[in-house]
Amino acid sequence: MSGDQLADIQDEFWYYWNGDSFAIDAEDVPTKTLVPCSVVEFNRPDRPLTVFCANQQRLEAVYRKLGFEVERGICAAFIVDTAIFPRASNLDWPPETLHQFLPWLQKIDNESYKSFNKMLEQLNGSRFSSAAFVVRHSKAWYGIVFSFPQLNMMQFRRGSEFRQTVHRRSKSIGVSRISPYRIDAEYLVNRNHREGARPLTNMRIAQVGCGAIGGYLADQLVRNGAGSGGGELTLIDNQILSHGNIGRHYLGLLSMNLPKASSLAESIGKNIPGANIVPNIERAENLADDFFDSFDLVLDATGQEGIIRVLSQKFYAGRLPPLIMGWVVGNGIASQAYALREKGDACIQCISPSDSISPYSPLKGENELEISYGGGCEQAYIPFSSAAANIAASLMVSLALQFASETPGPPLRTVVIDHANAKQVKDRRPKKSEGCAICQT
């Protein structure tokens, strides 16, 4: 069958099926013939949410943090895997009753039909008077919800008796067609990556610095898989969010005077529920020597050469996994990111991004750094736009994804923002400086 013919069949099915939207959290659903699940209702003043899930306890913990009240399971639920894509029928279509649904399912997918009958046997004696049955295909999920209140009150000695009774009464049992959509974090972050590209799931990642660059970086890391699929994202920063940070930070006024690391973890966790984000409010310099031993990747978003040097020295001493660092050049004339993956790579001192003479620096000639002073007792600061911080974060994430996918590419990335005051720097692999005190000792 050609690709066009297959697409036509798929489109035809969805056009006629026209099921109600149904949220599914499938992160803990194993690949089996028939898996018992739960349908849980979450309530909040602004909107209710009904979710089909396998791990009700985990889901309840996530949604309670989002301000939802939990209603215990509202119906029985089962999910079955199939390799057969559904197709429409020209008889009794779309199904309105079990009497119409079951012959169609048996004809197109006999294994799923058998699983449905096993489900009926397991429903004998259930405390629920309704059930959801979902068929999972790699490219299509569909299902039905049906009720059996009178049968639920009857006593059957065996599950087979309950199944047979349902079949006999199938003409009077209506079905609601459903079109499931996934809302689990692992799926939400994986769906945006092309085939063959690996997201940041199932990795232990440490991020040092939750300032202007770090706020956008943490958000992008989570949206690209960090903290999902059994992974963890640890955010390290001992500072609070001051009023002066707000204009170019991911966080806003509600987080003022609160620790940046814990506020970021909470804020991003609300947007991507289920992501494993761990805040750490210690100074990076005070962390134990073996702190980073269990991590797969470290990202430095402080933009401070002093901290970058310390972490680089740990890397060359074998006490740090691959290190990705990002910074804003000058007053936001450019943004750069660099990945240290092997001990043969040049260090930050070899690159010298703040030295206009360096071939790796986008600084042009005598570009004097502007320092600003706020009102009252506000400390001096370097003005640059939130765009510059966001671009630096994006460059760091692109290097992290390159690392996760084990694909080759230049480790130094540059984006020029102010073309009048910056020079172009090609993405490249920098060379070590002769006699460098950091990477050649």
Side-chain angles (χ1 to χ4, degrees):
M1 182 181 295
S2 71
D4 289 342
Q5 289 175 315
L6 179 61
D8 288 343
I9 290 175
Q10 294 174 354
D11 290 343
E12 183 182 26
F13 172 79
W14 292 123
Y15 178 80
Y16 287 105
W17 184 257
N18 194 27
D20 296 327
S21 296
F22 201 80
I24 286 190
D25 184 304
E27 189 166 323
D28 303 297
V29 179
T31 303
K32 287 184 178 180
T33 305
L34 188 67
V35 181
C37 297
S38 303
V39 176
V40 187
E41 192 169 85
F42 299 96
N43 290 310
R44 210 167 70 172
D46 54 345
R47 66 184 183 278
L49 179 64
T50 302
V51 183
F52 185 112
C53 65
N55 189 334
Q56 183 173 333
Q57 186 176 6
R58 176 184 62 79
L59 206 65
E60 286 181 5
V62 169
Y63 280 90
R64 279 198 177 98
K65 291 180 181 178
L66 300 181
F68 284 91
E69 293 182 0
V70 179
E71 296 286 341
R72 290 293 173 179
I74 59 174
C75 77
F78 291 81
I79 191 168
V80 61
D81 286 295
T82 184
I84 299 173
F85 193 94
R87 60 182 184 272
S89 170
N90 56 1
L91 297 174
D92 292 330
W93 189 261
E96 301 288 346
T97 65
L98 272 183
H99 184 71
Q100 296 169 345
F101 174 76
L102 291 175
W104 167 78
L105 183 64
Q106 184 179 27
K107 182 178 180 181
I108 69 157
D109 190 351
N110 192 50
E111 290 303 314
S112 293
Y113 173 77
K114 292 178 182 178
S115 294
F116 185 90
N117 284 320
K118 288 180 183 177
M119 176 194 73
L120 290 179
E121 294 183 2
Q122 293 183 34
L123 287 174
N124 182 37
S126 169
R127 66 185 178 93
F128 297 111
S129 59
S130 59
F133 178 73
V134 171
V135 181
R136 175 171 63 175
H137 181 272
S138 61
K139 298 185 183 301
W141 296 46
Y142 66 96
I144 61 168
V145 177
F146 63 99
S147 298
F148 43 92
Q150 294 178 339
L151 294 179
N152 195 48
M153 298 174 65
M154 300 172 64
Q155 298 293 323
F156 296 92
R157 288 182 300 171
R158 293 185 294 272
S160 58
E161 294 179 5
F162 180 83
R163 169 177 53 80
Q164 291 165 3
T165 303
V166 170
H167 276 266
R168 283 197 301 268
R169 302 189 180 186
S170 61
K171 287 185 178 180
S172 63
I173 299 177
V175 299
S176 296
R177 299 180 303 279
I178 56 176
S179 297
Y181 62 93
R182 290 182 63 178
I183 61 170
D184 48 284
E186 188 172 358
Y187 169 74
L188 293 177
V189 299
N190 280 332
R191 67 185 297 273
N192 296 316
H193 292 271
R194 69 183 189 280
E195 192 172 347
R198 187 181 184 277
L200 304 176
T201 52
N202 197 30
M203 294 177 63
R204 298 199 73 236
I205 298 173
Q207 175 183 317
V208 181
C210 296
I213 298 173
Y216 298 112
L217 175 63
D219 180 60
Q220 290 190 47
L221 288 173
V222 172
R223 292 181 188 278
N224 281 278
S228 296
E232 176 187 307
L233 174 62
T234 296
L235 304 178
I236 304 164
D237 196 307
N238 71 315
Q239 296 184 346
I240 63 170
L241 186 77
S242 71
H243 66 282
N245 298 140
I246 293 172
R248 63 187 183 197
H249 203 280
Y250 172 86
L251 296 171
L253 198 62
L254 290 176
S255 301
M256 190 172 72
N257 296 330
L258 296 176
K260 294 177 182 177
S262 52
S263 295
L264 264 181
E266 180 181 359
S267 178
I268 297 171
K270 288 180 178 179
N271 292 327
I272 309 290
N276 182 20
I277 311 171
V278 181
N280 185 315
I281 57 173
E282 289 188 66
R283 287 178 61 90
E285 301 93 318
N286 296 341
L287 295 171
D289 286 341
D290 61 351
F291 178 84
F292 295 105
D293 287 357
S294 63
F295 288 95
D296 302 304
L297 181 66
V298 175
L299 296 100
D300 180 280
T302 63
Q304 300 176 19
E305 286 196 31
I307 295 179
I308 292 175
R309 287 173 187 268
V310 170
L311 293 176
S312 298
Q313 288 171 337
K314 285 180 177 289
F315 171 80
Y316 288 111
R319 300 309 305 268
L320 200 76
L323 170 66
I324 295 174
M325 56 207 89
W327 57 88
V328 172
V329 180
N331 294 111
I333 64 169
S335 297
Q336 290 186 291
Y338 179 58
L340 271 178
R341 296 179 59 172
E342 301 174 0
K343 289 187 178 180
D345 294 336
C347 69
I348 189 68
Q349 184 166 293
C350 298
I351 298 171
S352 298
S354 58
D355 186 352
S356 61
I357 300 176
S358 169
Y360 311 116
S361 172
L363 288 172
K364 183 191 292 185
E366 296 297 326
N367 196 311
E368 189 173 337
L369 185 65
E370 179 184 331
I371 306 293
S372 293
Y373 300 86
C377 58
E378 187 177 350
Q379 294 180 340
Y381 63 95
I382 301 172
F384 58 83
S385 70
S386 61
N390 211 331
I391 291 170
S394 298
L395 292 174
M396 294 177 72
V397 173
S398 69
L399 288 171
L401 291 170
Q402 178 180 298
F403 168 77
S405 297
E406 298 181 342
T407 54
L412 177 64
R413 306 286 177 87
T414 305
V415 170
V416 170
I417 301 169
D418 182 356
H419 291 266
N421 294 300
K423 65 178 187 251
Q424 292 290 342
V425 176
K426 290 183 178 180
D427 293 346
R428 63 176 80 177
R429 180 175 298 278
K431 296 179 180 179
K432 285 189 174 185
S433 298
E434 206 171 312
C436 177
I438 296 179
C439 60
Q440 294 202 0
T441 57

